[in-house]
Amino acid sequence: MTNHHNRNRWRVDATANWQVFTLVLPESCTPIGVVTRPDGTKGALMRISHSGLLVQINAGVVRSVNQTKVKAALRRGGRGE
């Protein structure tokens, strides 16, 4: 169970193996690391080159992420917000 303090926390681990979540690197994407959503689910964090948007990829399925919070997690060295 997530406590109130961690409810909206997004985490990024730039050293984690993103290939655990997807074997295919989509064209025009740059791998960043692994993102953990507030509910605890994880996936490969990618940056779409032409737009700069950050996305989560799991087994080829692309999901949006909270841009503001994930960028804040990246600025803090992946420790979350």
Side-chain angles (χ1 to χ4, degrees):
M1 183 164 128
T2 305
N3 66 33
H4 179 71
H5 176 71
N6 293 326
R7 186 171 295 148
N8 293 314
R9 183 166 292 190
W10 288 78
R11 295 189 179 127
V12 176
D13 185 346
T15 64
N17 184 5
W18 60 268
Q19 292 176 319
V20 171
F21 300 98
T22 184
L23 296 176
V24 178
L25 179 61
E27 190 174 324
S28 78
C29 283
T30 303
I32 305 292
V34 172
V35 63
T36 304
R37 292 176 167 271
D39 66 3
T41 58
K42 296 181 179 189
L45 180 64
M46 303 277 176
R47 183 181 314 276
I48 300 174
S49 301
H50 63 275
S51 67
L53 285 175
L54 298 169
V55 295
Q56 176 183 340
I57 299 179
N58 292 83
V61 177
V62 178
R63 295 177 67 186
S64 63
V65 298
N66 184 308
Q67 300 296 300
T68 303
K69 292 187 177 191
V70 171
K71 286 176 183 177
L74 282 167
R75 282 193 301 274
R76 287 194 256 294
R79 298 197 145 212
E81 164 174 314

